[in-house]
Amino acid sequence: MRNLITTIAALLTLAATAGAQDLFTAPEGNWVRTSMTQRQSEFPKINEKGEYWFRFQAPSTAQNVSVKFADGEFPAKKDAEGYWNVIATCPKPGYQLYYLIIDGVRYADPGSEVTYSNGWTSTIEVAAPDDTFYEMRDVPHGEVREHWFYSNVAQEWRRAYVYTPAEYETKHKKKYPVLYLQHGAGEIEEGWVHYGYAARIADNMIAAGEIEPMIIVMNNDFVYRPGDNRGRLALADNWSQNFADMFLGEAIPEIEKSYRVIPDAQHRAMAGLSLGGMLTNNVGLANSSMFAYYGIFSGGTVSNPENLDKKTVKYIFETCGELEYPERIAKDCETLNNMGFKASYYVSPGTAHEFQTWRRSLHEFLPLIFR
Amino acid sequence: MRNLITTIAALLTLAATAGAQDLFTAPEGNWVRTSMTQRQSEFPKINEKGEYWFRFQAPSTAQNVSVKFADGEFPAKKDAEGYWNVIATCPKPGYQLYYLIIDGVRYADPGSEVTYSNGWTSTIEVAAPDDTFYEMRDVPHGEVREHWFYSNVAQEWRRAYVYTPAEYETKHKKKYPVLYLQHGAGEIEEGWVHYGYAARIADNMIAAGEIEPMIIVMNNDFVYRPGDNRGRLALADNWSQNFADMFLGEAIPEIEKSYRVIPDAQHRAMAGLSLGGMLTNNVGLANSSMFAYYGIFSGGTVSNPENLDKKTVKYIFETCGELEYPERIAKDCETLNNMGFKASYYVSPGTAHEFQTWRRSLHEFLPLIFR
């Protein structure tokens, strides 16, 4: 009986599909593969107007199919060959995440670059009016190194991504200041490199003489002690303290042992986006004799300014997207200034809680530190 | 009319599903997250018998759902909460790729590590009897660096992954031999690091005194000149010559300029897996005054041994999985030996065209070079 009903249902679905006259037809224009289209795929494509054409398979049984961005969902239409298509007009500038939604379930698009951001998600890089500051330029390039060390706190080998400036390989005696830069709750330690473009931003600014050469160290935010529960967003219950123990007690000493760094507070900075900004607050500013410079990007405001080490702290920088909470960070910087701290803020025009905000925040932050 | 038919079909599908009495029920046993389970997911899980439990959503309309490995497909069953489940018994040892197949279309599993291998694919790491040679050990660890350089051939910035041994940071005067190691047609330049475990294998063997410290350089196999067509597997029509021009003319000079290497043929080796083995043949052995040591892993046999530079070539090593073509490489090594070349082969027990073959091949190859 069940098989019979299934068969009838399938036949009726087929009839409904065959009766449809609204097939997608290929649009006019000059469509080329995007910078994120994977090697073996022809789609997504982009045209001269900056429109994106997504084309993909869906299960034979699929009925409602769409492409979903952070700020918009586009229904997909089948073409004569059975592929589903979306023309998406004007996605927001910068690094945009998207999914295929197939009858209520989200999938990564097999055609485009896939990355980890709160699960596996597809990406496109949309042209931005200010995208020159993170473009790949013909300047000396530093390296990003995968550096492994053992953590007794987490009882595991951990990987840090370490950016060393181009001159690090030739100036064998020179020692460098270090920025410790944390990712957000959705990402891993490579996030700042592979879509925050931290290395490119630093390379371009060093080459232009806008900042001093520095080392940038990116650790993973997530530290579990054996037996820890994973709560919301996979955070351990005691996530701040776990991170503090690993970061202050293990990661920083490891970096200072392994690289030519100036190992004092005036040559240490800490910054992070979102969860990384909260760690900068909960771990960095809570140990303010350790770091002179702080950046909180879309990560709230300073929790306990009255406890800060006035002798050590040189600059606090707060940022967020225009669509987040500009008033909060403006007010917090005013409070900090009134307490005698150097503090300022930056609001990224037209953006929300997204990487374009954080690329711009890093670009604004770097010239303020180690000066 | 179409909407009415669709609605009836949907209702009948619902009736068929509701009537099903064969719901999946959670199995007994001690199930824990696997080493590849992504941070925010509880599945896949593994039990003490080495069985894998996959649990995932599928579209509400899905009818036939399965989990597909290289050597087996497992039908999935819905549980009372509407999730689909598979218990997979005894996947093969080593790095195993898999997909979800939903009514004929393949998707990556959102629960597990996703990587690029001929498109986006899910992965698990299955315990192997010989997995100690690539395990993370408490030994000095080298670094893997992302090194960017501009290619005039491809008219683009290209990334090489460069492994430097642990002692590279402290022995500032010492120069090193270089192995150039190429990936297969499905992967990118990080493949040998992130699932071939080249750095771990080298770290372990250097620490054990089994090999000399060396630099390992991993370039991307794919080189397109502007205007090149992308044929099968996205290869340019003239893929060997394009690669030769980029590799010999740009990548090797860039490495010899940027690192402390011994820049002569006796301190250069070239090896690769699959397409990378073919490049070792078409580009390395075709320019045999450039390299003394060669490794062809699941990449065929030597094409033109009569053209080799007998003065320079010191060793040719051929490998494949037991399920590939052991007789062919055995015969080829006999031919090479008869011509006066040092050549030997290795057959990986029980494996096919897969990473467990290539991890073992690298492990067998490294002690033969620069000796």
Side-chain angles (χ1 to χ4, degrees):
Chain A
M1 179 59 184
R2 187 195 167 208
N3 280 348
L4 180 62
I5 296 176
T6 309
T7 307
I8 295 170
L11 285 171
L12 285 169
T13 305
L14 200 67
T17 311
Q21 293 305 313
D22 55 348
L23 283 179
F24 177 90
T25 50
E28 304 280 308
N30 181 28
W31 295 90
V32 298
R33 303 164 79 255
T34 77
S35 62
M36 294 294 206
T37 304
Q38 63 104 334
R39 190 171 70 215
Q40 294 186 14
S41 181
E42 287 304 312
F43 290 85
K45 287 184 173 176
I46 184 172
N47 70 4
E48 63 279 358
K49 287 186 276 185
E51 295 169 328
Y52 286 81
W53 179 4
F54 301 90
R55 185 173 189 258
F56 49 91
Q57 288 185 287
S60 55
T61 47
Q63 301 204 359
N64 291 298
V65 178
S66 61
V67 171
K68 191 174 183 344
F69 287 86
D71 60 347
E73 187 167 351
F74 299 82
K77 278 173 75 174
K78 254 189 188 173
D79 60 30
E81 293 170 62
Y83 284 78
W84 294 79
N85 296 263
V86 159
I87 307 287
T89 48
C90 305
K92 290 170 66 181
Y95 187 74
Q96 298 303 331
L97 308 177
Y98 72 97
Y99 308 100
L100 313 183
I101 309 283
I102 300 176
D103 290 321
V105 177
R106 96 181 202 190
Y107 292 97
D109 177 2
S112 196
E113 183 77 14
V114 168
T115 195
Y116 189 83
S117 179
N118 287 307
W120 301 102
T121 170
S122 304
T123 58
I124 49 170
E125 181 70 55
V126 182
D130 60 344
D131 57 14
T132 51
F133 77 81
Y134 52 83
E135 74 189 351
M136 198 74 177
R137 290 194 205 149
D138 188 12
V139 298
H141 288 282
E143 293 186 322
V144 175
R145 306 164 175 214
E146 299 187 14
H147 187 91
W148 288 88
F149 63 99
Y150 190 77
S151 164
N152 282 306
V153 173
Q155 302 272 302
E156 66 177 6
W157 287 92
R158 293 179 67 88
R159 180 177 65 177
Y161 271 69
V162 181
Y163 166 82
T164 51
E167 65 167 43
Y168 189 85
E169 292 299 308
T170 49
K171 300 196 170 171
H172 290 304
K173 295 280 162 75
K174 188 172 168 184
K175 295 187 169 186
Y176 294 86
V178 185
L179 164 62
Y180 293 91
L181 186 62
Q182 296 302 128
H183 61 83
E187 300 111 44
I188 65 167
E189 63 274 22
E190 65 166 347
W192 266 114
V193 176
H194 291 151
Y195 34 105
Y197 291 144
R200 287 196 204 172
I201 293 169
D203 285 341
N204 291 343
M205 297 187 88
I206 292 168
E210 294 165 4
I211 63 170
E212 291 303 311
M214 65 181 78
I215 290 172
I216 304 175
V217 176
M218 293 149 282
N219 278 287
N220 192 297
D221 291 355
F222 290 79
V223 180
Y224 311 103
R225 288 177 192 273
D228 272 354
N229 287 321
R230 287 159 192 257
R232 188 176 158 266
L233 294 172
L235 285 168
D237 293 340
N238 203 15
W239 54 275
S240 273
Q241 191 58 50
N242 284 359
F243 181 82
D245 293 344
M246 182 285 295
F247 179 61
L248 303 174
E250 299 177 329
I252 293 179
E254 170 73 18
I255 293 299
E256 298 188 346
K257 188 184 76 188
S258 308
Y259 297 89
R260 299 193 313 276
V261 309
I262 311 170
D264 64 33
Q266 291 306 312
H267 297 87
R268 278 192 211 109
M270 183 175 183
L273 72 90
S274 193
L275 178 67
M278 294 159 75
L279 288 171
T280 301
N281 199 340
N282 299 357
V283 176
L285 285 155
N287 293 275
S288 58
S289 61
M290 287 282 292
F291 309 89
Y293 304 92
Y294 300 88
I296 303 179
F297 309 158
S298 301
T301 54
V302 176
S303 302
N304 301 108
E306 65 283 3
N307 295 343
L308 297 181
D309 177 353
K310 289 209 166 191
K311 224 175 49 198
T312 308
V313 175
K314 285 291 177 301
Y315 212 106
I316 300 170
F317 189 57
E318 298 181 5
T319 79
C320 68
E322 188 181 348
L323 307 176
E324 296 189 279
Y325 39 76
E327 303 76 12
R328 262 182 72 199
I329 60 173
K331 188 158 175 289
D332 197 50
C333 285
E334 196 184 327
T335 305
L336 292 168
N337 290 337
N338 289 340
M339 294 175 72
F341 291 106
K342 257 186 150 170
S344 66
Y345 65 97
Y346 165 76
V347 178
S348 166
T351 62
H353 200 74
E354 59 183 297
F355 258 94
Q356 198 67 357
T357 302
W358 305 321
R359 290 171 178 172
R360 290 172 177 167
S361 297
L362 183 66
H363 181 242
E364 299 288 326
F365 179 60
L366 292 183
L368 303 175
I369 65 178
F370 310 134
R371 280 283 156 106
Chain B
M1 179 58 186
R2 189 195 166 205
N3 280 348
L4 180 64
I5 296 176
T6 308
T7 308
I8 295 171
L11 286 171
L12 284 169
T13 304
L14 200 67
T17 311
Q21 294 303 313
D22 53 350
L23 283 179
F24 177 90
T25 51
E28 304 279 309
N30 181 29
W31 295 90
V32 297
R33 302 164 79 256
T34 76
S35 62
M36 294 294 206
T37 304
Q38 62 104 332
R39 192 171 70 214
Q40 295 186 12
S41 181
E42 287 305 310
F43 290 86
K45 287 182 172 176
I46 185 172
N47 70 4
E48 62 279 356
K49 287 185 276 185
E51 295 168 329
Y52 286 82
W53 179 5
F54 301 90
R55 185 174 189 260
F56 50 91
Q57 288 185 287
S60 55
T61 47
Q63 301 205 357
N64 290 298
V65 178
S66 61
V67 171
K68 189 172 183 353
F69 287 86
D71 60 345
E73 187 167 351
F74 299 83
K77 277 172 78 174
K78 254 189 188 172
D79 61 30
E81 292 169 62
Y83 285 77
W84 294 81
N85 296 263
V86 159
I87 307 287
T89 48
C90 305
K92 289 169 65 180
Y95 187 75
Q96 298 303 331
L97 308 177
Y98 72 97
Y99 307 100
L100 314 182
I101 308 283
I102 301 176
D103 290 320
V105 178
R106 96 182 201 190
Y107 292 97
D109 178 2
S112 195
E113 183 79 12
V114 167
T115 196
Y116 189 83
S117 180
N118 286 308
W120 300 101
T121 171
S122 303
T123 58
I124 50 171
E125 182 69 56
V126 182
D130 60 346
D131 57 15
T132 51
F133 77 82
Y134 53 84
E135 75 189 350
M136 198 73 178
R137 288 192 205 151
D138 188 11
V139 298
H141 289 282
E143 293 185 322
V144 175
R145 306 163 176 215
E146 300 186 14
H147 186 90
W148 289 88
F149 63 100
Y150 190 78
S151 165
N152 281 306
V153 173
Q155 301 273 301
E156 66 177 6
W157 287 91
R158 294 179 65 89
R159 181 176 66 179
Y161 271 68
V162 180
Y163 166 82
T164 51
E167 65 167 43
Y168 189 84
E169 293 299 307
T170 50
K171 300 196 170 172
H172 290 303
K173 296 279 164 75
K174 188 172 169 184
K175 296 187 169 189
Y176 294 86
V178 185
L179 165 62
Y180 293 91
L181 186 62
Q182 296 303 129
H183 61 83
E187 301 111 42
I188 65 166
E189 64 274 22
E190 64 166 347
W192 266 114
V193 176
H194 292 152
Y195 34 105
Y197 290 144
R200 288 197 204 171
I201 293 169
D203 284 341
N204 290 343
M205 297 186 88
I206 292 169
E210 294 163 6
I211 62 171
E212 291 302 312
M214 65 181 78
I215 290 173
I216 305 176
V217 176
M218 293 150 282
N219 278 286
N220 192 296
D221 291 355
F222 290 80
V223 181
Y224 310 103
R225 289 178 192 271
D228 272 355
N229 287 321
R230 287 157 191 258
R232 189 175 157 266
L233 295 172
L235 284 169
D237 294 340
N238 203 15
W239 54 275
S240 272
Q241 190 58 50
N242 284 358
F243 182 81
D245 293 345
M246 182 285 297
F247 179 62
L248 303 174
E250 299 177 329
I252 293 179
E254 170 73 18
I255 293 299
E256 298 188 347
K257 187 184 76 188
S258 308
Y259 297 89
R260 298 193 312 275
V261 309
I262 312 170
D264 64 33
Q266 291 306 310
H267 298 89
R268 279 192 212 110
M270 183 175 182
L273 72 90
S274 193
L275 178 66
M278 292 160 77
L279 288 172
T280 301
N281 200 341
N282 298 357
V283 176
L285 285 155
N287 293 276
S288 59
S289 61
M290 287 281 294
F291 308 89
Y293 305 92
Y294 299 88
I296 302 179
F297 309 158
S298 301
T301 54
V302 176
S303 302
N304 301 107
E306 65 282 3
N307 295 342
L308 297 181
D309 176 353
K310 289 210 165 188
K311 224 174 52 199
T312 308
V313 175
K314 285 291 179 302
Y315 211 106
I316 300 170
F317 189 57
E318 297 180 6
T319 80
C320 68
E322 188 181 348
L323 307 176
E324 295 189 279
Y325 39 77
E327 304 76 13
R328 260 182 73 198
I329 60 173
K331 188 158 173 288
D332 196 51
C333 286
E334 196 185 328
T335 306
L336 292 167
N337 290 337
N338 289 341
M339 293 174 72
F341 291 106
K342 258 183 149 171
S344 67
Y345 66 97
Y346 166 76
V347 177
S348 166
T351 62
H353 199 72
E354 59 182 298
F355 258 94
Q356 199 67 357
T357 302
W358 306 320
R359 290 172 177 171
R360 290 172 177 165
S361 298
L362 183 66
H363 181 242
E364 299 289 327
F365 179 60
L366 292 182
L368 304 175
I369 63 177
F370 310 133
R371 280 285 158 105

